[in-house]
Amino acid sequence: MAVVPYKKDEASKKQQVAQMFDNISAKYDFLNHFLSLGIDIYWRKKAIRILKKQQPKTILDVATGTGDLAIEAMSLKPEKVIGVDISEGMLSYGRKKLKKLKLEDTIELQSGDSENLSFENDTFDAVMVSFGVRNFENLEKGLSEINRVLKDNGTLVVLEFSKPTVFPYKQLYNFYFKNILPLVGKIISRDQAAYSYLPESVQEFPYGKAFTDILEKLGYKSVKCRPLTFGISSIYVAQK
């Protein structure tokens, strides 16, 4: 059974995730940095550095949210970055950031579904997803769509939460994720379900080897997993 934010709601996971991010969009950036103690900024920089050698000219940022990873990708000097997300609330805040940074000519944010991308085959040099794949309603379908729009030898970079396995980080992480994070998230965002959904979705996500196995099954090559910060999150890299 799929993990969803609003358990009494009969809407699909996709619809619920879109609603959840619309609800918390005004506080999302602040909570991201606050709840991760700013480490999420370092993680994004690390993910983008992986693409530096390839120097991709066209980049797709799936589940772009407010566009943080797309903005970070500007350090690669791409010709075009397109960010897609199912939450118009998140995209609206992202567009305000782009305007402020004068990046609207290079970065374009579009409403879009990760499992039904509106791009031709073999369009992008690189595709990236940060903290978004665990929100896919159908994980394999979303990853297959990404493979379709990637050019041959193009690179997929996925940044996603995983779970520490070593004492005491495992215990500290579990306590923080299950007790502190939902409480602070609820107080600031006023959406209790959103920050209860986060630890639940991470708990169910097939991280590490389970995720690399899925990528290989779908035809990705040279699949690697790089744990970050004691295994709190991981970067997955794969080629088409």
Side-chain angles (χ1 to χ4, degrees), residues 161-166 170 173-174 202-205 207 230-234:
F161 286 113
S162 43
K163 288 180 277 188
T165 54
V166 180
K170 177 182 177 180
Y173 170 89
N174 286 338
V202 172
Q203 194 65 35
E204 290 301 311
F205 181 71
Y207 72 99
F230 313 113
I232 293 173
S233 70
S234 299

Side-chain angles (χ1 to χ4, degrees), residues 3-233:
V3 175
V4 293
Y6 308 107
K7 299 192 173 39
K8 292 179 182 176
D9 194 325
E10 291 183 5
S12 68
K13 177 175 180 176
K14 196 175 294 182
Q15 291 169 317
Q16 290 196 37
V17 166
Q19 182 193 336
M20 178 189 78
F21 281 115
D22 283 345
N23 291 347
I24 65 172
S25 56
K27 303 289 185 182
Y28 179 79
D29 283 347
F30 169 76
L31 279 167
N32 242 7
H33 306 326
F34 179 76
L35 291 170
S36 72
L37 307 176
I39 300 170
D40 66 306
I41 298 168
Y42 158 76
W43 289 338
R44 286 188 186 87
K45 287 183 185 297
K46 192 109 174 163
I48 292 300
R49 275 203 295 271
I50 288 168
L51 292 171
K52 198 169 184 182
K53 194 175 178 183
Q54 186 191 347
Q55 287 294 300
K57 295 301 174 196
T58 52
I59 303 173
L60 176 64
D61 183 23
V62 174
T64 189
T66 61
D68 274 350
L69 194 65
I71 292 165
E72 191 62 49
M74 293 307 293
S75 64
L76 302 170
K77 298 182 171 57
E79 291 170 4
K80 189 70 179 176
V81 180
I82 296 178
V84 297
D85 202 281
I86 57 171
S87 167
E88 268 301 330
M90 298 286 275
L91 292 169
S92 173
Y93 277 90
R95 290 184 189 113
K96 288 174 188 171
K97 287 201 290 193
L98 297 184
K99 193 171 183 181
K100 196 174 177 183
L101 295 166
K102 296 182 169 58
L103 292 174
E104 303 126 297
D105 290 344
T106 310
I107 303 175
E108 180 186 344
L109 300 185
Q110 301 179 2
S111 181
D113 178 359
S114 58
E115 293 158 44
N116 189 22
L117 296 169
S118 61
F119 307 104
E120 299 290 326
N121 295 354
D122 312 309
T123 299
F124 297 97
D125 298 316
V127 179
M128 51 195 194
V129 195
S130 65
F131 307 113
V133 291
R134 73 176 192 287
N135 297 323
F136 289 3
E137 188 168 71
N138 184 322
L139 179 60
E140 291 194 10
K141 191 176 178 189
L143 293 171
S144 294
E145 268 291 90
I146 288 171
N147 190 290
R148 179 183 68 77
V149 301
L150 260 178
K151 291 180 183 175
D152 283 343
N153 300 311
T155 305
L156 168 64
V157 176
V158 173
L159 172 60
E160 189 52 89
F161 286 113
S162 43
K163 288 180 277 188
T165 54
V166 180
F167 178 86
Y169 304 111
K170 177 182 177 180
Q171 286 72 16
L172 288 168
Y173 170 89
N174 286 338
F175 178 78
Y176 178 75
F177 239 46
K178 290 173 185 174
N179 299 285
I180 309 296
L181 186 146
L183 179 63
V184 176
K186 174 190 172 184
I187 293 166
I188 296 174
S189 75
R190 297 182 181 172
D191 187 321
Q192 181 173 0
Y195 288 89
S196 299
Y197 165 76
L198 176 58
E200 288 170 8
S201 62
V202 172
Q203 194 65 35
E204 290 301 311
F205 181 71
Y207 72 99
K209 187 176 184 302
F211 188 66
T212 59
D213 284 350
I214 291 169
L215 290 171
E216 286 172 349
K217 173 186 155 189
L218 295 173
Y220 286 94
K221 302 176 294 187
S222 307
V223 180
K224 295 183 181 68
C225 171
R226 305 181 186 185
L228 301 172
T229 317
F230 313 113
I232 293 173
S233 70

